[in-house]
């Protein structure tokens, strides 16, 4: 996001980026593999075999059923036409909301994760792989599907925690998005 900064020295150009955005991590600073249990993001989440948030393995990987939050309700994604590019975008959205850089996202063809329940939100998802969120991908319409929960999609996501992230000073930029848990200001 580009923004202009005013000050005693005149107007300068600065760039603000969110850590976690994009498919390639920023490896210019210190980084580490995430550990512990993956938190739920506000609009997407992963569920493990116990229907809980999964725990990262020793390589920063989590797997499970992909779910999205829409219209005040969590629901699943049907596996029709769902491929690795869709999984990458799903994982990127999780990473963006939680402050991780996504290394990879893949569809899991079979897993130990039980079928979901309730709403099936998305079917025939068609992401190119470059999108930042599922909202930018084509699909058959929210809640429009020809699936049952035996077709709920599972994903595997690999993340990297970028450690040098810091919050931008308050009021420093005129056009900032302050919802990310981790932002970095660059000259």
């Amino acid at each position: 996001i580009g923004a202009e900064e005013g000050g005693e020295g005149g107007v300068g150009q600065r760039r603000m980026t969110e850590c976690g955005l994009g498919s390639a991590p920023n490896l210019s600073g210190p980084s580490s593999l995430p550990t512990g249990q993956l938190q739920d993001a506000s609009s997407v989440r992963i569920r493990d075999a116990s229907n809980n948030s999964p725990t990262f393995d020793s390589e920063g990987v989590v797997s499970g059923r992909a779910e999205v939050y829409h219209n005040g309700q969590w629901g699943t994604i049907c596996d029709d036409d769902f491929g690795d590019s869709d999984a990458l975008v799903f994982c990127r959205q999780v990473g963006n909301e939680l402050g991780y850089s996504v290394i990879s996202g893949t569809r899991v063809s079979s897993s130990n994760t039980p079928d979901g329940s309730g709403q099936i939100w998305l079917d025939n998802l068609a992401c190119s792989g470059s999108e930042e969120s599922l909202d930018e991908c084509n699909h058959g319409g929210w809640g429009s599907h020809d699936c049952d929960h035996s077709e709920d999609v599972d994903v595997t996501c690999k993340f990297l925690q970028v450690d040098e992230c810091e919050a931008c000073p308050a009021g420093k930029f005129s056009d900032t998005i302050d919802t990310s848990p981790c932002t970095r200001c660059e000259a």
Side-chain angles (χ1 to χ4, degrees):
I1 297 171
E4 291 190 3
E5 174 187 50
E8 291 184 32
V11 176
Q13 288 289 328
R14 295 181 62 95
R15 185 171 54 118
M16 184 187 90
T17 56
E18 290 181 58
C19 300
L21 287 180
S23 58
N26 174 5
L27 299 176
S28 62
S31 59
S32 60
L33 296 174
T35 59
Q37 190 172 28
L38 177 70
Q39 297 176 351
D40 288 346
S42 62
S43 65
V44 287
R45 69 182 184 185
I46 300 172
R47 293 321 230 196
D48 65 13
S50 300
N51 204 34
N52 295 314
S53 293
T55 300
F56 289 102
D57 73 8
S58 63
E59 303 209 0
V61 174
V62 290
S63 295
R65 186 178 58 250
E67 295 189 356
V68 294
Y69 191 76
H70 178 72
N71 210 22
Q73 183 178 352
W74 286 102
T76 60
I77 302 171
C78 183
D79 66 2
D80 293 350
D81 299 328
F82 193 95
D84 286 347
S85 60
D86 305 301
L88 178 61
V89 174
F90 177 88
C91 295
R92 184 177 297 131
Q93 187 169 345
V94 171
N96 287 348
E97 291 188 25
L98 298 178
Y100 300 123
S101 287
V102 66
I103 303 298
S104 64
T106 54
R107 176 186 174 186
V108 178
S109 56
S110 63
S111 75
N112 296 325
T113 308
D115 298 343
S117 62
Q119 182 66 47
I120 298 173
W121 276 127
L122 293 172
D123 189 12
N124 302 114
L125 198 58
C127 302
S128 70
S130 64
E131 298 90 350
E132 294 297 325
S133 74
L134 298 177
D135 290 333
E136 298 173 27
C137 302
N138 292 320
H139 55 79
W142 288 100
S144 177
H145 64 86
D146 60 356
C147 305
D148 60 42
H149 284 293
S150 67
E151 298 175 83
D152 290 342
V153 75
D154 284 17
V155 296
T156 295
C157 302
K158 183 172 183 176
F159 296 107
L160 185 69
Q161 179 74 53
V162 180
D163 296 332
E164 95 279 3
C165 297
E166 58 188 48
C168 296
K172 195 162 187 177
F173 294 92
S174 60
D175 185 22
T176 61
I177 298 173
D178 217 331
T179 58
S180 171
C182 179
T183 56
R184 180 180 67 251
C185 303
E186 296 179 344

